[in-house]
Amino acid sequence: MSPTEVVTPPPPAAPERKPDPCIVIIFGASGDLTKRKLLPALYHLVQGNLLPSEIAVVGVARRDLTKTFAPDMQDGVIAGGGVEKDDPRLAPFIEKVQYHTMNFDDPNGYDSLKTLLASIDEKFGTKGNRLFYLAVAPEYFSDIIGFLGKHGMAKPEGGAKWVRTIIEKPFGHDLLSARALNDEVNKVFDEDQIFRIDHYLGKETVQNILVFRFANSIFEHVWNRNYVDHIEITAAEAIGIEGRGPFYEQAGLLRDVIQNHVMEVLSFIAMEPPVSFEAAAVRAEKVKVWRAITPIAPEHAVRGQYGPSTIDGKAVLGYRQEERVSPTSQTETYAALKLEIENWRWAGVPFYIRAGKRMAKRLTEVTIMFKQPPLRLFKNKEGKSDHIEPNFISMRIQPDDGITLRFGAKVPGPSMDIAAVDMDFSYADAFGPSSNNGYERLLLDAMLGDATLFAHRDGVEATWTIMTPILENWAKTPVSDFPNYPAGTWGPTASDAMMKADGRKWRKL
Ligand code: BG6
């Protein structure tokens, strides 16, 4: 028997979740995301028979890729996994992938794009429905949205049912810029047309946090300040900045990963049960969590930057040596925060979060660390009981997705010795491997008009409200000890010291 067994077989995919015919228009299609994630995800939906056949894709970018775009996307789909080269559905799908060269600030480009889309409607029966995907650098968001509005492309026309837009992160740079961007977008699109994407919400394991909490009755009773000692969230990456020097110099880790991905995970862990799984109900509960987070003291916001090192015998550059990064850069590639959520459920339970580039390994996980039992009956030979580990639930978001419950068990023998043991659930063991990359669900939901797994205006502003004071404080207090952790390690010592000050340690991962 495998350690993880599926007892109830999963239901067949619900056929009623098929969206209307539409064109997916990807601005910034020459970037990595389109080839590596978006097209493979769309094709996985085709394979799953989740899309109607009247779906077309138009890539839009400045570089003229008219001849190479479709074949390049075909390569991307194959490399994306789960697809054979001679898959009979692949050629008909790639036939409906087109490319449009334009500058995002050129009004004529929007005219010709509009004409192209109308001709695709004629040819492929896409019925005028449009999903505009903004996979561009944030400085182009306003231009594109403004021009879509001016050119009459932001509202359904001529019998079409809907026009929607997906906006990639980062959504703003701080609270003020996020508000300004929200205002601009809302001038052109109604809130129910806007899908602010955070690809973490597309991850099965992130969605499973809600299932774990709200589809089971045995965990919810202990999911509060009476039983939980503290919660840790780690989002560690082994990779560095992957050639994105200019972006990283402006963003930094807090903006890139914590304001969005980590805060989304935190909200799922901490939220109250929503009244339904409708977008408005779920979002309302998430926003309540973020708004209950108290201002973060400067000593509870640790920043780090990786220095050069050797990993597996290979020399690895420090952040300051990366291409197009200042040799005196103050940008953080690591951050650790201690958060307090002041509400009935969580008052007094610290949430420790850490995320970083070039850490010891790639691992995103949440640990719910429980309190020790009120009375420790079992003593060791020295008469002490502090060797007994507390219980925890660890939710591994990636890789090796799964959930572990740790508890104490009696070691066989004449004395009452206790060892920590794990009960393990593994996604791959239970459900088999998956080639989904997380964008499948989000693209499908956007086409269906379901915004449950997307960020809302209020949510984005709430998370920026938490992060902006930290960023402002960091901007006015330069660091003198960067780089403060060697690439390939678990971050700066200041982060361990923050835990130690509370008598705790990061869980060894
Ligand atoms: C992106 C960040 O949003 O998320 C990247 O811009 C980061 O810097 C990536 O590497 C992490 O995503 P994942 O799915 O690999 O954890």
Side-chain angles (χ1 to χ4, degrees), residues 37 168-169 199-200 203 237 239-240 242 244 247-248 253 256-257 260-261 357 362 364 398 437 439:
K37 304 279 185 180
E168 261 297 336
K169 64 177 275 278
H199 78 277
Y200 261 56
K203 293 183 192 280
E237 292 184 86
I239 55 170
E242 303 283 283
R244 295 192 301 161
F247 165 73
Y248 234 78
L253 193 282
D256 184 36
V257 176
N260 32 72
H261 306 327
K357 298 278 182 195
R362 173 173 185 251
T364 302
Q398 62 190 22
N437 63 34
Y439 281 87

